Amino acid sequence: MPTLIPILGDQLSFHLASLADADRADSILLMMEVAEEAGYVRHHKAKIALILSAMRHHAAALRAAGWQVDYIRLDDPENSGSFTGEVARAIARHSPDRIIITEPGEWRLLAAIEAWETLFGIPVSIREDSRFIASHALFNAWADDGRKQLRMEYFYRLMRRETGLLMEGDQPAGGQWNFDAENRRPAREAPVPPAQPRHEPDAVTREVLTLVATRFAEHPGSIDHFAFAVTREQAEAQMLWFLNHALPGFGDWQDAMLTGEPFLWHSLLSPALNIGLIDPLELCRAVESAWRAGRVPINAAEGFIRQIIGWREYVRGIYWREGPHYVERNHLHARRPLPDFYWTGATDLNCLGQALRQTLDHGYAHHIQRLMITGNFALIAGIDPHALHQWYLAIYVDAFEWVEAPNTIGMSQFADGGLLGSKPYAAGGAYVNRMSDYCRDCRYDVKQRTGPQACPLNALYWDFLVRNRETIGGNPRLAMPYRSWDRFDGATQNKIRNSASAFLAKLEGSP
Ligand SMILES: Cc1cc2nc3c(=O)[nH]c(=O)nc-3n(C[C@H](O)[C@H](O)[C@H](O)COP(=O)(O)OP(=O)(O)OC[C@H]3O[C@@H](n4cnc5c(N)ncnc54)[C@H](O)[C@@H]3O)c2cc1C
Ligand code: SF4
């Protein structure tokens, strides 16, 4: 009797733990396009298209490599609509004697898979996902090692030692672990960014795009610009393009934001990494080689490698360590509903409008747009972090809960009380003005704090600090802004708070 090996939509790699010792002649690889996964949040159309197209291409590649693939299409009339329903049907078709699966990237799916053994009466082995550098055991051993705080920087140093990346013996290459101080130059100094490659849709992708346009017409976002890498070859081409054209400027312009330039010096590799088309270590080794060959500066190579072996691995460790209720945390008791303009881009705050419309067009925004534009606004306006989490999960093509939730709930909204950051990432208009050109074309004046022309972020920022003083007022890293607030006279304080209240009242009444 064969072994049934379900392969999920973000497991599109030949090097899966569940395939490590599998016999091609005696294994059925089950790939399932199911409505439940496409619809449990209102995913951006481009995200659904990316995953379905990449799955179909990967199934063809597996078959070409001699694997037997049982592929269930979304439009199959017998399709039950769920993984569990499809595994039940596959068991009836193939009578396997066991199921082997690589662990999923979400607590919700893990719970469903853990129920299969009882439900189906055959052994189910769930293997740890070996595509990550830090195993669960390694992360937990680090986290349990008598630490008061789980700071990413220290975890990152462990990862550098574990992988040997950018190391000279046991010392960091270039004499420093972190070159961030040399990064983050403001947008106004930026040269013209390199043009991103397009991966033109082939017949498989075009068929998927038609399916998505009809079946998911109500979902947000556009697929008109769809050009993501959907095969291993395209992902490799994207990686090579990045190494040669964007990586040299990655460190310098990592935080810059420019009108009409959604991608700048970013890699656009998160979708390929997260669905398995590119291996994170392979990518980091290529980046290190580019630096060792003198093709890119150390601040770019180190900055990029830190995002992958530092942040990416670290947020995953936090996600699994904190448990399934992590996504419900709301340390600051923020309760305001998510404004509708997050789904439409229709707002007169130019910074938000730029980031949101670009997100709807492409299913992509770079890190600082997610953290300091859409995230910062939600934080200082007191938006419910769970509603925001569902928005991020739905709207970005690279969003899978293990990576999205800690970034949203933790890093961006401080809803976990500061596991990921020592203070909330809250800012007023001055930050946006320094790092972007958005304020230039905005109907609001970034320099004004109150009044009809004043940038709303300014009053919201102070209001956020005052509203949450009881919870975060004792944070030493916020001592300076609280001191500044206390130095304002009473009339100024009142004006600021009234401005913020008026804006928030209008926001709740907004269509
Ligand atoms: C609120 C919020 C939500 C986010 N949601 C997601 C998400 O759902 N999926 C996702 O992959 N990333 C998420 N990120 C992290 C980051 O914004 C994206 O990884 C990045 O923008 C992807 O674009 P890129 O590949 O061009 O990245 P680049 O700027 O080229 O960075 C290189 C790579 O580093 C990794 N990386 C960088 N920062 C992070 C981070 N904070 N956490 C994890 N990996 C990181 C990514 O794999 C990325 O591909 C989120 C960040 C925030 C603030
Ligand atoms: S003025 Fe304020 S609202 Fe307008 S773009 Fe600048 S920061 Fe955003």
Side-chain angles (χ1 to χ4, degrees):
M1 285 197 287
T3 300
L4 186 67
I5 307 182
I7 307 233
L8 306 179
D10 59 352
Q11 298 180 344
L12 309 182
S13 159
F14 278 84
H15 305 289
L16 281 184
S18 49
L19 295 180
D21 52 356
D23 176 356
R24 282 173 168 73
D26 200 28
S27 305
I28 306 287
L29 311 194
L30 176 65
M31 297 183 71
M32 305 157 275
E33 299 176 357
V34 293
E36 192 170 82
E37 294 310 307
Y40 75 101
V41 287
R42 253 171 20 112
H43 297 291
H44 193 297
K45 292 188 195 78
K47 182 180 181 187
I48 303 175
L50 168 80
I51 294 173
L52 296 189
S53 173
M55 282 175 71
R56 291 181 184 192
H57 282 99
H58 188 62
L62 285 166
R63 283 192 183 115
W67 292 98
Q68 302 176 63
V69 181
D70 186 359
Y71 195 95
I72 310 301
R73 289 167 64 116
L74 195 68
D75 45 11
D76 177 341
E78 308 288 312
N79 191 327
S80 63
S82 75
F83 284 146
T84 298
E86 284 315 297
V87 170
R89 289 204 314 129
I91 290 173
R93 278 195 302 279
H94 304 292
S95 306
D97 59 359
R98 60 180 180 154
I99 296 175
I100 298 181
I101 185 164
T102 300
E103 65 184 341
E106 195 173 335
W107 283 104
R108 176 186 63 90
L109 280 178
L110 183 62
I113 294 167
E114 282 174 343
W116 287 353
E117 191 156 300
T118 313
L119 204 61
F120 302 130
I122 54 172
V124 177
S125 156
I126 305 173
R127 295 199 177 158
E128 183 158 355
D129 195 336
S130 53
R131 293 173 299 164
F132 291 91
I133 297 158
S135 64
H136 299 307
L138 188 144
F139 186 85
N140 286 327
W142 171 78
D144 289 334
D145 192 16
R147 274 156 224 286
K148 274 205 232 109
Q149 289 184 316
L150 304 183
R151 289 284 161 255
M152 196 290 293
E153 184 61 30
Y154 296 108
F155 172 73
Y156 166 56
R157 292 179 192 182
L158 173 69
M159 289 291 95
R160 291 269 294 273
R161 290 198 172 96
E162 287 282 318
T163 57
L165 281 162
L166 297 179
M167 295 297 291
E168 309 288 359
D170 64 352
Q171 292 304 308
Q176 273 166 243
W177 290 103
N178 184 318
F179 287 82
D180 235 9
E182 294 174 29
N183 293 351
R184 318 209 152 150
R185 293 172 63 186
R188 63 178 173 280
E189 297 171 6
V192 178
Q196 280 278 342
R198 279 184 59 82
H199 306 284
E200 291 300 338
D202 64 2
V204 174
T205 303
R206 286 198 301 274
E207 189 187 9
V208 166
L209 291 173
T210 306
L211 172 76
V212 170
T214 44
R215 181 125 180 207
F216 301 100
E218 301 308 313
H219 280 230
S222 163
I223 40 176
D224 296 349
H225 314 274
F226 189 92
F228 287 108
V230 291
T231 63
R232 163 77 193 170
E233 292 70 30
Q234 290 175 342
E236 273 175 6
Q238 180 73 28
M239 181 168 87
L240 270 183
W241 174 86
F242 174 68
L243 293 169
N244 290 329
H245 300 283
L247 179 60
F250 177 84
D252 286 357
W253 312 110
Q254 211 175 326
D255 288 8
M257 295 175 279
L258 282 175
T259 303
E261 295 287 355
F263 311 120
L264 297 161
W265 284 263
H266 293 276
S267 70
L268 255 75
L269 282 168
S270 53
L273 281 165
N274 293 352
I275 64 178
L277 300 180
I278 288 280
D279 177 66
L281 207 48
E282 163 194 26
L283 172 59
C284 290
R285 297 233 184 273
V287 169
E288 178 180 31
S289 299
W291 169 68
R292 290 204 185 272
R295 294 200 302 274
V296 303
I298 184 105
N299 68 316
E302 187 282 317
F304 188 82
I305 287 174
R306 176 160 24 92
Q307 307 309 314
I308 308 265
I309 67 168
W311 281 111
R312 187 171 185 272
E313 295 284 330
Y314 169 81
V315 297
R316 176 175 181 263
I318 296 280
Y319 176 76
W320 288 112
R321 186 175 170 80
E322 291 302 309
H325 297 295
Y326 180 74
V327 296
E328 290 150 24
R329 293 202 196 161
N330 192 351
H331 184 66
L332 300 177
H333 306 289
R335 305 262 178 246
R336 195 158 276 113
L338 185 73
D340 273 359
F341 63 67
Y342 270 68
W343 298 105
T344 63
T347 166
D348 60 4
L349 280 76
N350 191 39
C351 49
L352 270 173
Q354 293 290 337
L356 289 168
R357 287 192 293 276
Q358 168 201 315
T359 294
L360 290 163
D361 281 350
H362 301 282
Y364 177 87
H366 70 69
H367 186 66
I368 290 303
Q369 293 175 307
R370 298 189 207 194
L371 185 65
M372 298 310 293
I373 303 292
T374 45
N376 176 57
F377 178 81
L379 175 71
I380 62 180
I383 306 297
D384 174 0
H386 193 258
L388 188 74
H389 147 66
Q390 290 190 313
W391 179 79
Y392 275 105
L393 189 58
I395 211 75
Y396 288 108
V397 292
D398 58 17
F400 298 89
E401 202 175 86
W402 64 265
V403 54
E404 175 279 326
N407 270 298
T408 306
I409 298 289
M411 187 189 300
S412 161
Q413 299 302 295
F414 208 71
D416 63 6
L419 269 178
L420 271 83
S422 52
K423 72 175 173 86
Y425 279 100
Y431 175 88
V432 179
N433 195 29
R434 190 165 61 250
M435 297 312 295
S436 78
D437 63 359
Y438 297 152
C439 300
R440 194 189 55 201
D441 299 321
C442 186
R443 88 162 203 61
Y444 296 107
D445 180 351
V446 71
K447 299 261 165 22
Q448 292 186 40
R449 265 199 308 256
T450 55
Q453 294 308 319
C455 166
L457 302 193
N458 292 337
L460 285 178
Y461 169 73
W462 291 115
D463 192 59
F464 164 79
L465 288 179
V466 180
R467 259 189 350 254
N468 292 293
R469 194 161 196 165
E470 212 173 291
T471 323
I472 54 174
N475 184 326
R477 296 202 57 205
L478 293 174
M480 208 152 74
Y482 277 112
R483 265 201 305 276
S484 300
W485 172 258
D486 291 337
R487 277 199 295 267
F488 291 144
D489 60 46
T492 307
Q493 289 183 345
N494 280 342
K495 266 199 204 157
I496 292 174
R497 296 219 63 194
N498 289 341
S499 269
S501 300
F503 179 85
L504 290 172
K506 217 166 93 196
L507 187 69
E508 290 211 32
S510 69

